[in-house]
């Protein structure tokens, strides 16, 4: 009887140790997530210089593959603050600059065929794309909105990979448009896609363990793009089968963008186009 009592007590002790270890692990995860959300909050991102390099991969049913790259250079250390966005890839090249002056912004759009930029000056900063750009890849919500997955090494950074349920606020509008189309409403592939989306999809972040900053982001947007394809292409037979975006973020090597000097003012561009029409 004495031996049974000792064994029972040992089992209880082991269980308590295991529970304590689990509680410590849970507390560490909660503390980590809490700090990550704070460091990468919208307010902090709006003041943080960084370079975001995003690779886009698209594959279609007919085996066509499309590659693209977008680089956001966000320089908030120097005056004036400048944001440069450069797109390269199968879908074409494009460059745009946002030069910020207090609550106004000058927008420079590249004109490929003229190897120059047209500029719109003194636009409202709050009504421009700038607030959205500064908010890119910020974390919001509570620790319960995120799940810790595992540790990984990313470009020499010791990171923790986490996931978050995506908020597809526009999904109901897409479903409503599909329901008004008899040719789509009974399509099994579309119905299955909607079911999966309603269950929820995730985006993934890799958080540097030392700085708590996001160094990598990845999302798969295949499903919602498939629905949009069928809405926009009646009788279409070449929907996307894979669309992914992978972003890497660098905070230490942000190059100061140079404001373009080869400028065609918007008014001059309109006059040129008018003369060409004549």
């Amino acid at each position: 009887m004495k031996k049974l009592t000792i064994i029972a007590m040992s089992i209880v002790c082991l269980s308590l140790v295991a529970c304590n270890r689990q509680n410590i692990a849970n507390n560490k995860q909660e503390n980590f997530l809490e700090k990550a959300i704070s460091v990468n909050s919208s307010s902090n991102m709006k003041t943080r210089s960084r370079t975001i390099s995003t690779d886009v991969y698209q594959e279609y049913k007919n085996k066509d593959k499309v590659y693209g790259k977008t680089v956001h250079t966000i320089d908030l250390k120097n005056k004036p603050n400048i944001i440069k966005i450069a797109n390269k890839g199968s879908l074409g090249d494009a460059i745009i600059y946002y030069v910020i002056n207090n609550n106004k912004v000058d927008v420079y759009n590249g004109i490929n065929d003229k190897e120059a930029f047209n500029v719109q000056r003194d636009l409202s900063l709050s009504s421009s794309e700038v607030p959205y750009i500064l908010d890119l890849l910020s974390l919001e919500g509570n620790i319960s909105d995120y799940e810790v997955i595992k540790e990984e090494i990313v470009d020499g950074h010791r990171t923790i990979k986490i996931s978050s349920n995506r908020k597809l606020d526009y999904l109901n509008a897409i479903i409503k448009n599909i329901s008004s189309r008899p040719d789509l409403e009974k399509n099994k592939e579309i119905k299955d896609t909607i079911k999966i989306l309603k269950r929820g999809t995730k985006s993934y972040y890799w958080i540097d363990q030392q700085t708590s900053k996001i160094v990598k982001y990845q999302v798969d947007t295949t499903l919602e793009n498939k629905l949009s394809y069928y809405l926009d292409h009646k009788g279409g037979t070449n929907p996307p089968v894979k669309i992914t975006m992978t972003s890497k973020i660098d905070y230490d090597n942000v190059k100061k963008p140079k404001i373009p000097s080869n400028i065609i003012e918007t008014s001059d561009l309109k006059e040129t186009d008018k003369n060409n029409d004549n």
Side-chain angles (χ1 to χ4, degrees):
M1 184 69 180
K2 189 174 182 180
K3 287 184 178 180
L4 290 174
T5 301
I6 292 172
I7 292 172
M9 290 177 65
S10 298
I11 292 172
V12 171
C13 288
L14 289 171
S15 298
L16 290 173
V17 169
C19 287
N20 286 336
R21 285 177 178 171
Q22 185 61 47
N23 288 335
I24 291 171
N26 289 340
N27 288 336
K28 283 185 176 180
Q29 288 189 5
E30 289 177 1
N31 291 337
F32 172 81
L33 288 172
E34 189 173 346
K35 186 174 182 181
I37 293 170
S38 174
V39 169
N40 299 284
S41 66
S42 177
S43 58
N44 282 333
M45 284 298 199
K46 282 179 168 60
T47 62
R48 185 172 297 155
S49 295
R50 59 200 187 275
T51 302
I52 306 173
S53 300
T54 302
D55 290 303
V56 180
Y57 171 76
Q58 302 177 27
E59 184 177 340
Y60 292 83
K61 194 171 183 178
N62 67 357
K63 307 302 181 182
D64 282 347
K65 295 178 181 179
V66 178
Y67 300 89
K69 188 179 190 71
T70 300
V71 178
H72 290 76
T73 303
I74 302 173
D75 177 18
L76 305 178
K77 290 182 180 179
N78 299 291
K79 295 295 183 181
N81 296 162
I82 300 175
I83 297 171
K84 176 185 176 184
I85 305 175
N87 294 310
K88 293 183 178 181
S90 306
L91 298 177
D93 300 344
I95 299 178
I96 185 170
Y97 290 82
Y98 297 89
V99 181
I100 303 167
N101 299 290
N102 297 318
N103 62 344
K104 298 291 184 180
V105 60
D106 296 340
V107 182
Y108 295 74
N109 281 289
I111 309 168
N112 291 334
D113 59 336
K114 293 183 173 60
E115 295 185 354
F117 291 80
N118 75 329
V119 58
Q120 296 174 284
R121 301 188 186 277
D122 294 328
L123 301 179
S124 168
L125 181 66
S126 59
S127 300
S128 71
E129 293 292 316
V130 171
Y132 166 77
I133 296 167
L134 294 179
D135 206 36
L136 282 173
L137 303 183
S138 62
L139 299 182
E140 59 182 19
N142 305 308
I143 59 176
S144 58
D145 297 320
Y146 300 89
E147 179 185 358
V148 172
I149 300 175
K150 62 179 178 179
E151 293 188 24
E152 283 189 13
I153 302 294
V154 176
D155 297 335
H157 298 271
R158 292 182 64 244
T159 74
I160 292 180
K161 180 182 179 180
I162 66 175
S163 67
S164 173
N165 289 324
R166 297 174 61 212
K167 295 178 180 178
L168 301 177
D169 298 329
Y170 53 84
L171 181 58
N172 287 335
I174 293 177
I175 294 173
K176 184 178 179 181
N177 288 335
I178 288 174
S179 65
S180 65
R181 292 269 301 274
D183 59 314
L184 300 179
E185 192 177 15
K186 296 181 179 180
N187 183 301
K188 186 179 186 304
E189 183 182 11
I190 292 175
K191 290 169 70 174
D192 291 343
T193 300
I194 291 173
K195 284 180 182 178
I196 297 171
L197 283 170
K198 283 185 173 181
R199 287 200 296 267
T201 62
K202 294 182 179 295
S203 53
Y204 299 92
Y205 303 83
W206 284 258
I207 312 295
D208 186 289
Q209 293 190 46
Q210 185 174 0
T211 64
S212 295
K213 294 179 180 178
I214 300 168
V215 295
K216 181 180 175 181
Y217 169 79
Q218 191 170 69
V219 65
D220 187 314
T221 63
T222 307
L223 298 176
E224 59 263 42
N225 276 290
K226 183 181 291 186
L227 294 182
S228 296
Y229 170 85
Y230 281 121
L231 277 171
D232 296 337
H233 300 82
K234 189 171 183 178
T237 58
N238 190 31
V241 295
K242 191 72 175 177
I243 297 181
T244 59
M245 294 188 296
T246 303
S247 299
K248 299 281 189 71
I249 304 93
D250 182 2
Y251 304 92
D252 301 322
N253 303 292
V254 181
K255 295 181 180 179
K256 180 181 178 180
K258 185 178 179 181
I259 301 175
S261 57
N262 47 338
I263 296 170
I264 298 176
E265 297 287 350
T266 301
S267 57
D268 296 336
L269 186 66
K270 288 180 179 177
E271 187 65 29
T272 300
D273 290 341
K274 184 178 180 182
N275 292 335
N276 288 339
D277 290 340
N278 293 333

